[in-house]
Amino acid sequence: MEQRVLKKLVKSISSMVKSFKKSEIECLIRIFHSLVKRADVRLDNTGLDRNAFQAILHSVFGMTDDMLMNRVFFAFDKDNDNYINVKEWVKGLSVFLRGTFEEKLKFCFEVYCLNGDGYISREKIFDMLKNGLHQQSPEEATDERIKELVDIALNKMDYDNDGKISFSDFEKAVKEDRLLLEVFGPCFPEAKNCLDFEALAF
């Protein structure tokens, strides 16, 4: 990438992302471009598709839940074009690696809100818990047991008792008990994976 173009891009992104220094943004841009080249994408595309992104989440960040990795992809892909561009990459990583509690709260809700309607429904909770439990312990992932967990989650988090969790419900529950942030499955890599990535990147 031409140095002049790179500097202009760094300046543009640094106005949106305050958690990285300009030198770190430059490193993330360079990593992005090397990943795009390695992903063997079409020449007319300048982004990471879902498969390439999920491979990065798995190999670099140690994430393994396909359903949630798919949702993380959509949380990064702000323009909904099915590719993560360089700005979305840096902005998403800013939340992943150095996000504030409020940024992480919004990100998790976006991941859990599977169809973008602004609510986490009983059915979505069931699907996420079934998926997560089945991966960890298939024999305990009975529908009856999962329904019990869904009821527990709704009793704890559905403050307005409408049978679904709004952002307001989610925010209130998580602020009261921060362990609920990733209650329906991991949205973020473990701290060690983040530190390892930063050590390599910067």
Side-chain angles (χ1 to χ4, degrees):
M1 176 179 265
E2 190 180 313
Q3 194 63 23
R4 182 180 54 81
V5 174
L6 178 62
K7 293 294 179 198
K8 188 176 177 182
L9 186 57
V10 167
K11 184 177 180 183
S12 169
I13 293 174
S14 68
S15 68
M16 301 181 315
V17 177
K18 302 299 180 198
S19 57
F20 293 126
K21 297 182 277 189
K22 286 184 177 182
S23 60
E24 293 171 329
I25 291 172
E26 186 173 327
C27 290
L28 292 174
I29 292 169
R30 291 182 190 281
I31 290 169
F32 175 82
H33 285 291
S34 75
L35 290 169
V36 168
K37 284 179 188 166
R38 203 175 310 149
D40 191 34
V41 293
R42 296 185 318 272
L43 293 174
D44 63 334
N45 171 45
T46 56
L48 296 169
D49 67 12
R50 189 178 332 174
N51 290 335
F53 183 70
Q54 286 182 341
I56 293 163
L57 289 178
H58 180 71
S59 64
V60 176
F61 293 105
M63 297 180 78
T64 58
D65 186 320
D66 287 335
M67 176 192 245
L68 289 174
M69 285 192 296
N70 187 46
R71 292 301 309 153
V72 168
F73 172 83
F74 286 111
F76 267 66
D77 181 24
K78 295 297 185 194
D79 63 5
N80 298 315
D81 67 350
N82 290 316
Y83 291 95
I84 294 174
N85 64 43
V86 68
K87 289 182 180 182
E88 291 167 335
W89 166 256
V90 175
K91 182 88 171 117
L93 285 177
S94 75
V95 176
F96 243 44
L97 301 173
R98 300 182 184 169
T100 64
F101 174 72
E102 282 71 25
E103 289 171 329
K104 289 186 175 202
L105 183 74
K106 288 177 186 167
F107 185 85
C108 284
F109 185 80
E110 193 173 343
V111 169
Y112 297 148
C113 184
L114 298 178
N115 64 3
D117 65 356
Y119 295 96
I120 306 170
S121 69
R122 176 179 292 280
E123 295 77 22
K124 292 176 200 168
I125 296 169
F126 181 88
D127 290 344
M128 288 183 285
L129 290 176
K130 184 171 185 158
N131 179 57
L133 286 173
H134 184 73
Q135 287 184 358
Q136 293 178 358
S137 178
E139 64 279 353
E140 289 189 29
T142 66
D143 285 358
E144 210 46 51
R145 178 73 180 121
I146 294 166
K147 285 177 184 173
E148 290 174 18
L149 293 173
V150 171
D151 289 339
I152 291 168
L154 283 171
N155 285 338
K156 181 131 180 94
M157 301 179 84
D158 180 18
Y159 287 94
D160 57 8
N161 296 313
D162 62 354
K164 54 192 175 187
I165 300 170
S166 65
F167 178 73
S168 174
D169 291 334
F170 187 73
E171 180 179 38
K172 186 173 182 180
V174 173
K175 283 185 175 180
E176 285 180 13
D177 184 352
R178 290 195 177 209
L179 291 176
L180 295 174
L181 181 65
E182 294 182 271
V183 67
F184 303 124
C187 299
F188 298 104
E190 292 183 21
K192 181 193 180 318
N193 296 88
C194 292
L195 292 172
D196 290 348
F197 176 80
E198 287 199 41
L200 287 171
F202 309 135

